[in-house]
Amino acid sequence: FTAPIAGSYTFNTCSGNVDTCLYVRDATCTGTLLGCSEDFGFGCGPNGWGSSVTVSLTALQVVFVSVQGYS
């Protein structure tokens, strides 16, 4: 994902029914970890298993967003 402008961006899997882990890394899959989430909580997904991460990004900053099944 490339941020079009500076600001806070939220990535989530709240509409799914799969237990997920969500990671946001700077630039590449091996970049600095900017945020992660596993089981964000009640109200995120039908079972509360959804993940949600909010990160502050600069304009045109590139991030790598990874979604994995928990188990």
Side-chain angles (χ1 to χ4, degrees), residues 12-70:
N12 71 65
T13 60
C14 293
S15 63
N17 62 0
V18 175
D19 195 358
T20 60
C21 295
L22 178 64
Y23 302 90
V24 179
R25 294 186 173 272
D26 190 34
T28 69
C29 62
T30 58
T32 301
L33 183 65
L34 302 177
C36 65
S37 173
E38 191 273 320
D39 289 351
F40 185 67
F42 182 75
C44 186
N47 300 311
W49 290 343
S51 302
S52 183
V53 175
T54 300
V55 292
S56 293
L57 303 176
T58 60
L60 302 179
Q61 182 175 357
V62 176
V63 294
F64 180 86
V65 180
S66 172
V67 178
Q68 301 173 349
Y70 178 70

